Structure formats: C-alpha cells, structure tokens
Amino acid sequence: MNFQHILFAIEDGVATLSLNRPEQLNSFNTLMHTEVREALKQVRTNADVRVLLITGEGRGFCAGQDLGDRNVAPDAAAPDLGVSIEQFYNPLIRALRDLPLPVICAVNGVAAGAGANIPLACDLVLAARSASFIQAFCKIGLIPDSGGTWTLPRLVGTARAKALMLLGDRLSAEQAEQWGLIYRVVEDAELRNEALKLARQLATQPTYGLALIKRSLNASLSNSFDEQLDLERDLQRLAGRSEDYREGVSAFMAKRTPTFKGR
Ligand code: LHQ
C-alpha cells in the first residue's frame, strides 16, 4: 500500500511511523486513520518488527481530529461523533496498547486534542523541548477522548488532569516530564536520533518479555493486588517458556553477550 499521509519504514527491527500532514499539524482525516491502521497491521503481523516508533513530520506532532473534515454548518444535521470514535480513535488506542511490543512515541511538536492522548497510549514517550500538550477538546465543546480521561489522571493525578482538561491550557514538555506525563524531554535537534537509538537498543532485547512487562503494567492500573499477583504468575510462566529466557540465562552463565530473538 502506498501511503499519502504517513511515512512508514521497517529497518533493524524498528518500524517507524511518522504522521505526515504537516500543513494541518498532522491532524487526522479518514485517509490518515486508514493508513495508520494498515501500518499497525503490518507491525502486528511482521515478525521482524520488534519495536514501533511513532512521530510526526514538520513542526507539530498531531493536532487531533482534522476539524475541517466535519460539517458543522448551522443547517447541517448534528454529526454523530461517537461513530468516528468507535470506527477510528478507539481501535487506534486499543491497537497501540495491545501491541505485543514496546511502542515509543517521539513528540516532535505541539500535541493537541486526540493528538495529546495518543502518546499516553504508548509505552515510552520522549518529547522535544519545544513540544507541548493541549487537552484542546474543552475549547470546542467536546470531552477528551482517545483514552485520555483514563490515562491522564492515572499519570498526573486527578487534580492536574481536571485542570488540564477543563482549562485546555498548553503544558510544556518540561512540565509534562516533571508531572510524570512523559518519560523524558530531549533537545529538539536530538529527538529523532535519541528516539531511534532507544528503539534500536530495545529491538536487540528480549522483546517477547518486554511485551509481557507492558501487558502486566497496563493491567496493574485496573487490577486488584491479588489479581495482579495471579497475572504475574501467569505471565512469568509464559516468559519462562521463551527462547529468550534460555538464551539470557545461558549467556549470563557463559559470561557472553546474549543474542535475543524476541520469542
Ligand atoms: C488544523 C488543525 C485541526 C484542521 C491545526 N484540524 N486543521 C474525535 C472524534 C470526532 C470528532 C472530533 O474530535 C475528536 C478528537 C479531537 O481531536 S477534537 C480536538 C481537535 N483539535 C483541536 O481542537 C486543536 C486545534 N488546533 C489548535 O488549537 C492549534 O492549531 C494548535 C494549538 C494545535 C497549534 O496552534 P498554532 O501553532 O498557532 O498553529 P495554527 O493554529 O496556526 O495551525 C497551523 C495550521 O494547521 C493552520 O492552518 P493554516 O492553513 O491556517 O496554516 C490550522 O488551521 C491547521 N490546523 N489544527 N485540528
């Protein structure tokens, strides 16, 4: 499939997906959703892919839904936005959270609306120093979607999540790091390289095990302590059966560098 609104490449075990409508700050229209969905399908089904890196082209990361895509003229019938969420945004967020591999998000610029919540569905978020996060929904009479009402309060606490979502103020990358919304701020010029370096490093690691770590941490946010202990038991059972576990222990005992295959 030839993509128009995203760039997609697979190299050294790393799939890089870059949103590519820079003039509209990489806001989502239907075609971009369709292309992202197709790329994520390739990520899921290509055994060579061990890590996914998501970023954006131009000065923005993503401004959420393309607002020009909706007819809001006074004489037009009210749109059913639930359809768009059901068809596109919820499947996208679920796909990112459920991908059995680490997902890195490199937020290269402003991230607004759904574009501010997509990174929160990823596993490691780096942001350029000049990037910012805006829960812009409240400014146009909408509620935050793309999982934001679930992820944001868990990351920064309800008091800060409510302020961000009710006021729609711009949060700098630095503040986002201090509040625990993202993992790390890096200098603008270094973002892509730093993110790629991290992705390539992770792609040499026991990525099957990393996927199980991701699964257990995601589940811990809504599990009880007892449920989580049981889950740890079950996932450790799976991890212990992996080739990478054998390789890791053998390499440790032989004092050599392990070669992991992600299975
Ligand atoms: C855009 C957009 C945009 C189109 C900038 N659309 N063109 C889910 C389900 C269904 C429906 C509804 O929504 C959702 C989820 C959502 O995501 S709702 C929230 C949608 N997003 C927003 O409300 C953010 C709108 N954008 C902004 O507030 C600003 O553009 C930000 C703060 C992101 C950036 O501001 P500036 O740096 O000052 O840039 P700008 O506003 O000048 O934008 C640059 C261009 O990008 C401009 O086009 P132009 O032709 O004038 O250069 C904008 O119109 C265009 N653009 N966001 N979402």
Side-chain angles (χ1 to χ4, degrees):
M1 183 168 173
N2 264 344
F3 295 125
Q4 277 180 50
H5 292 336
I6 63 170
L7 304 178
F8 183 67
I10 298 173
E11 207 183 329
D12 297 333
V14 178
T16 303
L17 189 172
S18 194
L19 305 175
N20 189 25
R21 299 180 73 224
E23 271 82 56
Q24 292 79 26
L25 299 182
N26 301 322
S27 53
F28 272 86
N29 60 11
T30 302
L31 181 59
M32 193 157 98
H33 270 298
T34 310
E35 293 185 351
V36 169
R37 177 178 296 185
E38 171 57 28
L40 291 183
K41 189 169 148 205
Q42 290 185 30
V43 168
R44 235 182 358 258
T45 53
N46 184 336
D48 293 339
V49 178
R50 310 264 300 270
V51 175
L52 169 64
L53 168 59
I54 299 180
T55 189
E57 297 298 309
R59 75 176 177 89
F61 168 67
C62 175
Q65 170 65 36
D66 184 328
L67 295 174
D69 229 23
R70 294 276 179 289
N71 186 353
V72 286
D75 53 346
D80 182 350
L81 299 187
V83 170
S84 164
I85 302 233
E86 185 70 20
Q87 278 184 354
F88 297 117
Y89 288 93
N90 283 355
L92 167 63
I93 297 303
R94 288 195 173 105
L96 291 173
R97 257 181 94 80
D98 294 346
L99 261 188
L101 40 82
V103 180
I104 298 173
C105 187
V107 181
N108 52 297
V110 65
N117 289 335
I118 288 167
L120 309 186
C122 300
D123 302 311
L124 289 171
V125 185
L126 303 183
R129 192 167 294 282
S130 69
S132 55
F133 297 82
I134 310 174
Q135 294 289 331
F137 311 85
C138 59
K139 308 262 188 193
I140 54 170
L142 294 184
I143 72 148
D145 55 32
S146 301
T149 58
W150 195 89
T151 44
L152 192 64
R154 283 169 173 77
L155 288 166
V156 304
T158 309
R160 284 170 171 163
K162 277 190 178 159
L164 290 171
M165 290 180 162
L166 293 172
L167 300 172
D169 287 344
R170 188 187 289 263
L171 185 74
S172 70
E174 233 161 278
Q175 190 78 79
E177 183 195 81
Q178 280 164 21
W179 282 7
L181 188 124
I182 62 168
Y183 167 47
R184 196 152 67 86
V185 175
V186 301
E187 297 312 317
D188 287 20
E190 289 161 22
L191 178 71
R192 192 63 81 96
N193 269 347
E194 283 295 314
L196 260 179
K197 205 162 81 184
L198 195 60
R200 289 196 180 118
Q201 181 209 325
L202 281 176
T204 66
Q205 297 304 299
T207 41
Y208 176 71
L210 300 188
L212 297 178
I213 294 174
K214 161 177 177 167
R215 211 169 119 189
S216 65
L217 286 176
N218 284 346
S220 79
L221 296 169
S222 44
N223 268 352
S224 69
F225 185 63
D226 275 325
E227 285 166 338
Q228 195 63 17
L229 284 179
D230 288 348
L231 182 67
E232 287 179 3
R233 175 202 58 213
D234 295 343
L235 297 186
Q236 197 70 296
R237 192 169 270 150
L238 294 178
R241 290 185 189 131
S242 68
E243 282 183 37
D244 282 345
Y245 169 61
R246 259 173 220 235
E247 169 62 6
V249 175
S250 307
F252 176 80
M253 298 308 287
K255 299 192 188 303
R256 64 173 172 78
T257 306
T259 306
F260 294 117
K261 295 183 178 146
R263 54 178 190 257

